[in-house]
Amino acid sequence: MQSQPINFQPPTEEAAPILLPVTATLFADRADRFAVLADGHSLGDWLAFLGQLSRAQHQAMKALPVLALPDAATLDQARTHGMPPLNMTVRPPVWRDVLRQIARELGNDAPDGARKSLDALLAADDVWLEKLADTLLSGELEAGDAAELPFVAAALQVVFTQLASQLDASHLQKLDAHGVCPCCGSPAVASIVRLGATINNLRYLHCSLCNTEWNVPRATCTSCDTDKEVALHEVEGSNGQKSGAVRAETCDACKSYLKIVYQEKDPRVDPVADDLATLALDMLVDEAGYERSGPNLLLIGAYSG
Ligand SMILES: [Zn+2]
Ligand SMILES: [Zn+2]
């Protein structure tokens, strides 16, 4: 395991604090990225299937109507109290239709294990589907439902990404807790260091549910908010990624970590896909005593070893 201090470079211009998801391209780009990462990878079949899942998310997103946002009073109240405007526990019922569409879209191309889960989901009643969604979003997982959860997550990601994209970015604010999404309150899946005119070399956290990104200074732990630079390191696997585009950012103050991906190393990096293509890095950092601070919802139950 190699580690090195972070090279802190402050922004030179005012950068957007929050980047809302771009629904037209987000899941299609992720599907392409999974396909690239699957090529020659030891988990290539699984990554390729997740590419198909992302493609199905893209198709479902295209078919999704504009959704009802919380009313103005609720949005104002959330803002006044420093709460996210979207409530994870209040789900538009259309998410269940999205789930069924994704399950049908994947069709017979799915591997046997996944096919079984998809069939179970297509046959499921609304009560069970809502229970699965509650299980997933509460983070309190029950082993028996584990195989279905990545698909439930995929459907919820589509709906919450759509909702987040409909919010007015100028009315959003970052929350006190750095690691929590300012739109929906979910934990971040990973960070991305972006390229671009006013956001060059800035670190954004990427929401595990709604794909919103928010800027957090690189000199800050996203889990415990410490700004002791000495406690933060970027760890690269010794035989890690070809391009060095993915690292783990560890904090010695709270012993947590989260991956960080670099567009500078590869402009196509995706916080969700590249995270799942670097599970060896998770093992390395786990062994060194760090605990991951945010989930990848496509992994829960899918790869329990
Ligand atoms: Zn979110
Ligand atoms: Zn920390």
Side-chain angles (χ1 to χ4, degrees), residues 181 183-186 207 209-212:
C181 174
C183 284
C184 77
S186 295
C207 178
L209 182 65
C210 80
N211 289 291
T212 292

Side-chain angles (χ1 to χ4, degrees), residues 265-277:
K265 304 280 186 185
D266 187 334
R268 299 166 302 171
V269 285
D270 177 85
V272 171
D274 282 76
D275 175 39
L276 295 179

Side-chain angles (χ1 to χ4, degrees), residues 221 223-226 251 253-256:
C221 170
S223 186
C224 73
D225 294 347
T226 185
C251 172
C254 68
K255 285 288 175 188
S256 78

Side-chain angles (χ1 to χ4, degrees), residues 33 37 41 47 236-247 259-261 265-266 269 273-281:
R33 183 61 178 167
L37 293 168
H41 195 288
L47 293 171
E236 193 172 5
S238 53
N239 57 350
Q241 295 313 290
K242 298 164 204 155
S243 63
V246 184
R247 294 179 180 179
K259 303 253 186 80
I260 183 163
V261 303
K265 304 280 186 185
D266 187 334
V269 285
D274 282 76
D275 175 39
L276 295 179
T278 54
L279 295 180
L281 180 54

